[in-house]
Amino acid sequence: MEWKQLADNLFPAGHTISETDHFLSGSAEVDGHTIAVIGTTNHAPIGIEIALAQAQAVLNVVREHPQRAILLLVDTQGQRLRHRDEMLGINSYMAHLGKCIELARRSGHKVVALVYDQALSGGFITSGMMADACYALPESTIRVMGLPAMARITKVPLERLTELAKDNPVFAPGPDNYLRMGGIEAIWEGDLATRLADALRDPNCIDQRAALGLARGGRKLSQAVVEAVRSGTHVRPA
């Protein structure tokens, strides 16, 4: 979905979102409250400039609008694959963005993310996956790596990976599989404005992804590992 159409559906009461070089920022009215909107569009590759722009926008909200909720709109092809960005330490810039989102959370800002088009690899991890809860539209695309690329890297035949993807959501792209793994809280359909208002009203800020993945059958050991680390015990394979 094109971002302007999405904004009209999410914010019938109005918004001030603007785009600059695939970077989205502004504010919007939701359920009688003003929220901050930060994101990307046009399958933006996350290079150092856009990572810094997002981080600066988050810090501005923390500094100028205490406890204002933040909505992250996600549409990215992942980390920008350029020698320049790698030499400048793109990993550190993306980590900085993640830390800024965590600072906002610890400062009392509700942070919600919505994958409305495409979400790949590191560009998704340091934005959508850093939110209190991440949601997706049914037509969105979410994956760590495409199966053909995964086959080249792992040397596992594409046919075998395709077969594994039928039963194992770790190998398969798409919001339904990330829902099973707990990475996505829910897939939004119908009245998007109501879905957003409900998500912002949810007081829960505890990371439930491992528990959701276990309950939905998409990640069967993650919660056990979390509990073992907390208790200092060993994990026994299922």
Side-chain angles (χ1 to χ4, degrees), residues 152-164:
R152 291 194 298 270
I153 296 297
T154 64
K155 307 305 180 184
V156 176
L158 177 60
E159 295 76 13
R160 177 56 178 158
L161 291 177
T162 302
E163 188 66 24
L164 288 170

Side-chain angles (χ1 to χ4, degrees), residues 41 94 96 109 111 114 119 121 124 137 143 178 180 188 204:
T41 189
M94 297 176 79
H96 173 61
H109 297 262
V111 184
L114 174 62
S121 64
F124 178 40
L137 298 186
R143 65 174 183 265
Y178 275 77
R180 287 180 60 198
W188 284 356
N204 183 39

Side-chain angles (χ1 to χ4, degrees), residues 89-136:
I90 180 60
N91 58 307
S92 296
Y93 288 86
M94 297 176 79
H96 173 61
L97 171 58
K99 291 176 183 178
C100 291
I101 295 174
E102 176 62 12
L103 172 65
R105 179 179 12 261
R106 294 191 180 195
S107 301
H109 297 262
K110 179 74 174 181
V111 184
V112 171
L114 174 62
V115 179
Y116 69 97
D117 198 316
Q118 178 173 274
L120 272 66
S121 64
F124 178 40
I125 292 171
T126 55
S127 56
M129 295 299 286
M130 283 298 297
D132 296 325
C134 184
Y135 302 87

Side-chain angles (χ1 to χ4, degrees), residues 6-22:
L6 175 70
D8 289 341
N9 290 337
L10 285 172
F11 314 119
H15 68 85
T16 64
I17 305 170
S18 61
E19 175 194 350
T20 303
D21 296 329
H22 310 319

Side-chain angles (χ1 to χ4, degrees), residues 183-203:
I184 297 297
E185 186 84 9
I187 297 174
W188 284 356
E189 298 185 78
D191 186 344
L192 298 183
T194 298
R195 301 290 181 273
L196 175 58
D198 290 343
L200 292 173
R201 282 195 295 265
D202 186 353

Side-chain angles (χ1 to χ4, degrees), residues 23 38 50-63 96-97 100:
F23 170 60
I38 300 167
I50 204 164
L52 280 179
Q54 291 183 91
Q56 182 181 39
V58 171
L59 292 178
N60 285 343
V61 175
V62 173
R63 180 175 58 250
H96 173 61
L97 171 58
C100 291

